Amino acid sequence: SNRYIITLFLGANDQSSDSQGVPPSEYEANILSIISNLRSQIKSFHPHLETPPTIILITPGPVDSTKWPTRSTSKSLQYASILSSISSTHNLPLITLTSLPLTSLSDGLHFGPSANEYLFSKIQSTIRNLRPDLSPDDDDEGRPTVKMHMPYWGSLVG
């Protein structure tokens, strides 16, 4: 069974107008290349897999441009639109974060606790909907329901 789930969460630095940034067309080409490379590398290491890995695309979040003048929410929206198009074309799930409130950011760009909790819940629900066999939920005793390859950490402590 294919147990690979990959998240691609790129774009906050790519959209920058300084030396870190890449033009939208290059960003799109890079995302498509990453998707292709992930699929081919996993297939080469695990030729028995019948289906490709589940790849979840995650858009960049909003930006407070008063704190990060080389970035903006309008650029985030542009890069999110690119991911939305790739998601539709390649039938990949998409988590959109551009509508998060600026107050959920710790410094105007990076996620604070509420934004991280929101993203975590969106990833969980996406996995739950797409791959119920890999449900990220815990059982009644707080142990993960997905078969683990190593001992549960709680069984190793005190």
Side-chain angles (χ1 to χ4, degrees), residues 27-136:
Y27 173 76
E28 180 175 17
N30 289 344
I31 295 293
L32 291 169
S33 177
I34 290 168
I35 291 167
S36 175
N37 285 330
L38 285 168
R39 286 180 170 166
S40 66
Q41 288 298 314
I42 289 172
K43 188 69 175 165
S44 71
F45 287 112
H46 302 282
H48 62 281
L49 290 179
E50 295 175 13
T51 58
T54 300
I55 299 173
I56 302 170
L57 302 177
I58 304 172
T59 72
V63 178
D64 184 343
S65 58
T66 63
K67 296 178 181 176
W68 292 85
T70 62
R71 296 164 172 82
S72 68
T73 296
S74 63
K75 287 286 270 190
S76 288
L77 290 167
Q78 183 180 11
Y79 285 68
S81 176
I82 291 167
L83 289 180
S84 179
S85 176
I86 292 171
S87 168
S88 295
T89 303
H90 296 274
N91 196 29
L92 299 173
L94 176 70
I95 297 173
T96 303
L97 303 174
T98 52
S99 62
L100 286 170
L102 291 179
T103 55
S104 68
L105 305 175
S106 64
D107 62 359
L109 175 66
H110 301 99
F111 285 12
S114 65
N116 279 314
E117 287 171 16
Y118 177 81
L119 175 56
F120 178 70
S121 72
K122 293 306 249 179
I123 291 171
Q124 276 189 311
S125 64
T126 300
I127 293 170
R128 203 176 287 117
N129 291 333
L130 291 174
R131 297 294 306 274
D133 59 313
L134 298 178
S135 174

